Amino acid sequence: MVPAAIARLHPEAASWLERAQREAAAPELCRQQLLATLTGAEPPSSDDPLTRAQLAFTEQFAFSVGAITDEQVEALREHMADGELWDFVASIYELDMGLRLDLVAKAVL
Amino acid sequence: MRVAPGSARTGRTALDRAMGEFERAVVRIRGVDPITTELVRLRCARVHDCRRCRSVRDDAALQEGFDEALGAKIDDYERSDLAPRHKAALRLADAMILTPGAIDPGLRAELREHFSSSEIAELCLDVVKWSVQKALVALRIEPPPGDGLIRMHANPDGSFTFGEPLADRQ
C-alpha cells in the first residue's frame, strides 16, 4: 500500500513501512471506517459489540486521537487483554497513516 | 494510562519491530533541512496532542537556529510570517493529518517551488513517522514530559538520545 513514488524515492523506509503494514491486522470494517472518516465515504455498521467498539475507536482515532475517551478504550478492554489492545491500536495506526499517505502522495508526487 | 506498562512498543511483535525499523529509517533520511523537519514534527505533536513530543526539541534544528519564537508560529502558521517554504511544508503536514480527503489542488505546485520530489516524499514519510505517537496518545502511554523543554539528538542509526533541559533557550 506504500505509493510507488515513495517506494522509488526512499526504498528502505518504504520497505519497512510495507513490512509493518503486512504485519498489521485490523478488521476490514475498520478500514472501511477509516475511509469513511478520511474521505466521506459511507461508514460501516455492525450489531456486534466488539466490532461497534472497534469502529467507534477507529473513527475517533482518525478524527482526533487526543479526544479518545476512557469509555471508548474501556469498551475495547471488555474484549481485549492489554497486549491485544496494543496490537489493535498499532494496526489502526498503520492503516490510518497508510491511507493518508496514499491519498496525499498521489496528489503531490 | 489505559494499558499496563510494558504492553506496548516493547518489540514484542513483528509489527512493533517493523514500526521501529521504519521510524529509524525515516530519521536517517536527511534531505530536508532540520528546521523544516522540526516545524513539521511539532505540528504533528500539537495536532495529535502528544505531551512528550511537544516537550522536546531537535538538536540539529536548534543548531540551525530554531527557537521558541519560531515554534510559536506553528499553531497559526497561515497568518504568521513564516517563510513560504515552511508554510508549504506545514500545509503538506496538515493535508496528511487533517484533510487527506480534501487536498488543495494547488499544493503540488506550491511544494515544487520549494522542494524536490525526494524532499516531498521525505516530508510525507516524516508525517507518518511523527504520527506514530497517535497509537501512544490513544492509550495515553506516551512517555511523560519532563519539566520544561529538553533536547533530543538523532543518532546515526536513527534512534534518539534525550539530553539536557533547554531553560536557557526559552
Side-chain angles (χ1 to χ4, degrees), chain A residues 12 70 77 82 86 93 96, chain B residues 2 4 9 28 128 134:
Chain A
E12 185 188 8
D70 288 342
R77 286 172 59 92
D82 281 357
W86 169 254
Y93 157 78
D96 176 40
Chain B
R2 293 163 171 165
R9 303 309 307 274
R28 289 195 296 269
V128 177
K134 288 185 75 172

Side-chain angles (χ1 to χ4, degrees), chain B residues 7-162:
Chain B
S7 298
R9 303 309 307 274
T10 57
R12 175 177 56 85
T13 66
L15 174 55
D16 281 350
R17 291 190 289 276
M19 288 171 68
E21 292 290 350
F22 164 72
E23 291 176 50
R24 288 187 287 277
V26 171
V27 172
R28 289 195 296 269
I29 304 170
R30 302 287 175 88
V32 177
D33 66 277
I35 290 180
T36 302
T37 301
E38 182 70 345
L39 290 169
V40 167
R41 185 188 70 80
L42 285 170
R43 181 65 176 171
C44 293
R46 291 168 194 231
V47 172
H48 300 325
D49 189 29
C50 181
R51 295 165 297 186
R52 171 69 163 187
C53 306
R54 293 172 65 156
S55 73
V56 298
R57 297 292 180 268
D58 179 64
D59 214 21
L62 292 169
Q63 290 174 20
E64 293 291 320
F66 180 90
D67 59 22
E68 293 312 301
L70 193 62
K73 297 175 182 177
I74 295 172
D75 284 342
D76 196 15
Y77 70 86
E78 289 288 7
R79 292 193 293 177
S80 76
D81 61 355
L82 280 176
R85 171 184 173 86
H86 293 153
K87 287 187 177 183
L90 290 170
R91 288 179 186 131
L92 174 60
D94 277 3
M96 285 195 66
I97 59 180
L98 295 175
T99 58
I103 300 166
D104 181 342
L107 181 59
R108 186 176 192 275
E110 181 189 3
L111 286 166
R112 288 181 180 283
E113 289 178 18
H114 305 286
F115 301 101
S116 67
S117 293
S118 178
E119 290 170 329
I120 294 168
E122 178 182 341
L123 287 167
C124 289
L125 290 169
D126 280 343
V127 174
V128 177
K129 185 268 179 284
W130 293 118
S131 294
V132 74
Q133 64 226 44
K134 288 185 75 172
L136 305 176
V137 169
L139 299 175
R140 281 298 174 202
I141 54 174
E142 75 268 36
D147 293 330
L149 302 176
I150 60 172
R151 288 177 184 269
M152 67 173 189
H153 175 76
N155 300 310
D157 70 353
S159 64
F160 281 99
T161 300
F162 296 92

Side-chain angles (χ1 to χ4, degrees), chain A residues 4-76:
Chain A
I6 298 281
R8 176 172 51 81
L9 292 163
H10 297 293
E12 185 188 8
S15 174
W16 283 114
L17 183 58
E18 282 182 343
R19 175 87 66 91
Q21 290 174 346
R22 281 199 303 273
E23 298 293 343
E28 169 58 21
L29 284 182
C30 290
R31 192 187 71 80
Q32 293 178 26
Q33 179 62 65
L34 286 168
L35 272 175
T37 306
L38 299 182
T39 69
E42 185 70 20
S45 62
S46 174
D47 293 329
D48 174 66
L50 171 58
T51 303
R52 289 174 61 179
Q54 288 175 322
L55 293 178
F57 179 93
T58 299
E59 180 181 21
Q60 190 64 60
F61 185 95
F63 182 69
S64 177
V65 72
I68 288 175
T69 64
D70 288 342
E71 289 73 21
Q72 287 172 317
V73 176
E74 280 305 310
L76 292 173

